[in-house]
Amino acid sequence: MIEADKYDALRDYLKERTEAELVLSFEEIESILGFALSRSSQRARWWEKERNPQDAMPQRNAIRDGGYEATRLPDGTGVRFRRIGLKRTWR
């Protein structure tokens, strides 16, 4: 499998979602993907959108192509997906 294709299942899952925001545990993400995430996925930077083209990574591209951006939860238990283009509401 090509590295970029590994995350197609997550992209497709996100494309089917209608929520403005959703939270998935790492276990739920692994279930969607059908494989265990790397240890580096525990770091917040692994999920955040790239700030320059050199930071492009296949999981970030899949999430963006699914219509979302992702942020690791502060407690490290999962990931928050927020639909691209929605204004952030501060709580």
Side-chain angles (χ1 to χ4, degrees):
M1 175 180 290
I2 298 172
E3 181 71 16
D5 296 339
K6 283 176 61 173
Y7 300 96
D8 285 355
L10 181 58
R11 178 202 63 208
D12 295 344
Y13 176 86
L14 293 172
K15 277 185 172 183
E16 294 175 3
R17 311 310 304 170
T18 59
E19 299 96 326
E21 283 189 20
L22 66 142
V23 173
L24 296 173
S25 69
F26 289 112
E27 292 80 17
E28 290 171 314
I29 295 168
E30 289 174 342
S31 178
I32 291 165
L33 292 171
F35 62 87
L37 291 166
S38 67
R39 289 181 67 193
S40 59
S41 70
Q42 298 297 316
R43 294 192 305 258
R45 183 167 163 66
W46 199 83
W47 296 98
E48 295 171 357
K49 67 182 180 176
E50 61 271 5
R51 287 163 178 74
N52 62 57
Q54 292 82 10
D55 288 341
M57 295 177 71
Q59 75 277 6
R60 293 179 189 155
N61 293 338
I63 293 165
R64 184 194 61 234
D65 292 348
Y68 286 82
E69 58 188 18
T71 308
R72 186 184 62 98
L73 295 176
D75 64 5
T77 60
V79 179
R80 179 181 314 281
F81 296 89
R82 182 174 288 123
R83 185 157 300 281
I84 294 171
L86 293 181
K87 292 189 184 226
R88 179 177 293 210
T89 57
W90 298 101
R91 296 178 195 174

